[in-house]
Amino acid sequence: MPSRAPSARRDFVIVGGGIVGASTAYYLARHPSFSPTNHTITILESTSIASAASGKAGGLLALDWHGESTTSLASLSFQLHSELASQHDGESKWGYRRLEAVHLEADMSSIPAGGDKKDPRGLRSWLGEDVGKRMRTRTLGKRETIAQVHPKLLTEELVRLSGAKVVLASATSLVFGKAVDGEEEKVVGVGITTSLDVKEVDEEIKATDVVLAAGPWTGVLASRLLGERIGGTLDVRGSRAHSIVLKTKGMEITPHAIFTNLTLEDGEQTEPEMYPRPDGTIYICGATDDEPLPSHPSLAVASDQHLNTLHREITTLSPHLANAEEVVRQACYLPVSERGRPYVGKVKGVEGVWVGGGLTCWGITLGPGTGKCLADGLLSSRGLITVANVSKLAP
C-alpha cells in the first residue's frame, strides 16, 4: 500500500451513525495527523444518529468477558471509555459509572427456601422480600472491570465532539478510479440517496476513504457497494433483540447489572437481564430471535408478544416493578458475523475502504476501541493499526 503524506487532501466518509461510526469520526478528528484544513469527515446515516442498536442497547461495558481475538480491542476500549468520561464529563452527559455485575438465580414456582441468608448488595430493597427469600447470587464482575453508559447519549456526544458533517442519506454506490500502483481500484466518491430505494442516486460526494460501519446492515451494504466477490466476504447480519425501559417512582435502585436465571411460576425458565441506570430507569432485555433484517432501519419493528413476555418475566421477579412506568418498548438488530468474530481493518482487493462491524452485543463496549483502531490505520503512513492487536479481526 503506498504511503500518503498526512497533509494530502483526504475526504473521509463514514457510512453509519452508530457507536463505531461516531467513534471513528471522533478519533479521526483527534489523530495527530488529522488536518482540519485538508481533511474532512462526513457521516452518512440513513435515519438519525444512534437510530438502531447503538441507541437501543443496554450499555454494559466489560473488560474481560471476551474471547482471544477481541481481548486486546476490549482492553483498549474499556480504557478509552474511562478516558472519554473523564475528559468530557461522561458521568453527567451519558451516565458513565462503574458498577458490579451479579448473577441471580431464583425459583418462583416453589415454596421459598434456601435463598441467600444475607443481602450485602441491598437487592431486596427493590426486588422485594419474596424473591429475596428465593434468590442465590454471585458476583460476575466488580467495579474494576464493569461499567455502563447510556449508548444513545454517548454516540450523539461523540458525533458532536468530532465536528463531523452528518448527511441523512444512504450509500448507494462507490465511485472508483485507479490507485497509484495500478493494482487495486481506488475510491474517489460515494453515490447517495435520501430515498428508501437504494437503487436511486441523488448525488455523488467526494471520498478518498470510506468506512463501512452500518451495524447489522454492514453485510448488505458491503455486497451492494463492493459486489459479491469482495463485499460478500463481509458476512455481517442482524439478530433481533427486544428491550423495555422502565422508570421507577421514588424507589432507589442499587447499581448492579443483573443477569438472571429464573424459573417462573408455571415452571418456564428464562434469563432476562437488568441494567439500572443513574437516571432512575432500568433497561431490561431478553432473548434474541431470527426475524429477518429489514431493508432499512426505519422499518424495524418489535414483537408485542416478545415484549409482553419480557415484562411478565420481570414483574414476576420483582412485583415492585409492576407499577413502574414503561418508558420505551423496542427492538433492534445486533450485528453478528457469520465467522464468529468482528471485522476491523482495511478491506482487501480495493483501495480506500475500511470496515468496523460484527461486534454483536459488545458493540458499545468495543465501539471506541474499534473507532480508534480504524482512525489509526487510516491516518498512519503505512496504513497499519498499532493501538491494539486486531490481527485476527482483519477482513
Side-chain angles (χ1 to χ4, degrees):
M1 176 179 179
S3 62
R4 279 188 265 194
S7 60
R9 177 72 187 185
R10 304 283 291 278
D11 295 302
F12 301 102
V13 175
I14 301 167
V15 187
I19 186 64
V20 174
S23 298
T24 303
Y26 175 88
Y27 286 110
L28 276 172
R30 280 161 174 73
H31 194 281
S33 296
F34 183 81
S35 168
T37 303
N38 297 320
H39 299 163
T40 67
I41 304 172
T42 300
I43 296 176
L44 289 182
E45 170 53 53
S46 62
T47 307
S48 62
I49 297 299
S51 62
S54 294
K56 300 177 181 179
L60 182 75
L61 313 177
L63 171 63
D64 52 4
W65 293 9
H66 308 275
E68 180 183 357
S69 64
T70 54
T71 295
S72 178
L73 180 61
S75 179
L76 170 65
S77 206
F78 196 80
Q79 174 188 338
L80 293 177
H81 272 291
S82 179
E83 292 177 359
L84 287 168
S86 177
Q87 294 167 3
H88 302 296
D89 192 18
E91 183 177 343
S92 65
K93 289 184 177 178
W94 59 82
Y96 176 86
R97 68 174 175 179
R98 298 296 182 98
L99 72 168
E100 183 181 9
V102 178
H103 181 269
L104 185 154
E105 182 177 357
D107 187 347
M108 311 303 293
S109 67
S110 61
I111 298 174
D116 292 342
K117 294 181 179 180
K118 297 182 179 181
D119 181 27
R121 303 180 183 89
L123 298 178
R124 291 184 186 180
S125 65
W126 61 279
L127 290 178
E129 282 298 322
D130 186 42
V131 70
K133 296 175 182 178
R134 306 168 189 265
M135 71 180 184
R136 294 180 180 274
T137 61
R138 59 185 173 88
T139 299
L140 295 176
K142 296 185 178 181
R143 291 170 56 88
E144 293 78 12
T145 61
I146 302 294
Q148 73 176 152
V149 296
H150 191 300
K152 182 177 178 64
L153 298 180
L154 170 59
T155 303
E156 291 174 338
E157 184 65 7
L158 288 177
V159 171
R160 188 189 71 81
L161 290 168
S162 75
K165 178 182 179 180
V166 178
V167 176
L168 296 182
S170 299
T172 61
S173 60
L174 295 182
V175 183
F176 293 99
K178 280 295 182 181
V180 175
D181 58 15
E183 294 181 3
E184 295 181 335
E185 289 189 304
K186 172 73 181 72
V187 171
V188 296
V190 181
I192 65 173
T193 183
T194 57
S195 170
L196 292 182
D197 184 358
V198 296
K199 296 180 181 179
E200 296 185 8
V201 178
D202 293 340
E203 63 176 303
E204 292 180 359
I205 60 175
K206 292 181 179 180
T208 58
D209 305 88
V210 174
V211 176
L212 307 182
W217 286 272
T218 298
V220 174
L221 177 71
S223 294
R224 182 167 77 232
L225 300 184
L226 299 171
E228 285 301 317
R229 183 179 66 83
I230 297 176
T233 64
L234 304 176
D235 51 4
V236 179
R237 58 179 178 82
S239 178
R240 189 173 69 164
H242 289 80
S243 58
I244 297 173
V245 178
L246 300 179
K247 176 72 173 180
T248 57
K249 302 176 181 178
M251 184 188 306
E252 184 175 350
I253 307 298
T254 60
H256 297 94
I258 301 179
F259 296 78
T260 71
N261 186 335
L262 304 179
T263 301
L264 303 181
E265 294 174 345
D266 59 3
E268 179 186 354
Q269 292 190 324
T270 184
E271 299 178 335
E273 301 171 8
M274 296 188 289
Y275 307 133
R277 290 171 170 167
D279 62 2
T281 61
I282 306 176
Y283 178 95
I284 301 164
C285 60
T288 59
D289 64 20
D290 57 0
E291 183 70 14
L293 182 71
S295 60
H296 191 273
S298 65
L299 301 177
V301 296
S303 162
D304 283 336
Q305 179 180 351
H306 286 338
L307 290 169
N308 291 339
T309 297
L310 184 58
H311 191 274
R312 177 176 66 88
E313 294 169 356
I314 290 302
T315 54
T316 297
L317 172 65
S318 175
H320 291 313
L321 297 182
N323 297 321
E325 175 189 357
E326 201 170 70
V327 179
V328 176
R329 292 164 59 91
Q330 60 193 4
C332 65
Y333 286 80
L334 305 178
V336 179
S337 165
E338 294 287 353
R339 71 176 185 175
R341 61 188 188 278
Y343 293 98
V344 180
K346 181 183 179 298
V347 177
K348 297 176 182 177
V350 61
E351 182 64 26
V353 181
W354 296 66
V355 63
L359 303 182
T360 66
C361 61
W362 295 114
I364 304 303
T365 285
L366 301 177
T370 300
K372 190 172 181 68
C373 284
L374 292 172
D376 184 44
L378 281 160
L379 281 171
S380 67
S381 61
R382 299 178 59 195
L384 300 178
I385 296 173
T386 60
V387 292
N389 181 2
V390 291
S391 57
K392 294 184 178 180
L393 307 182

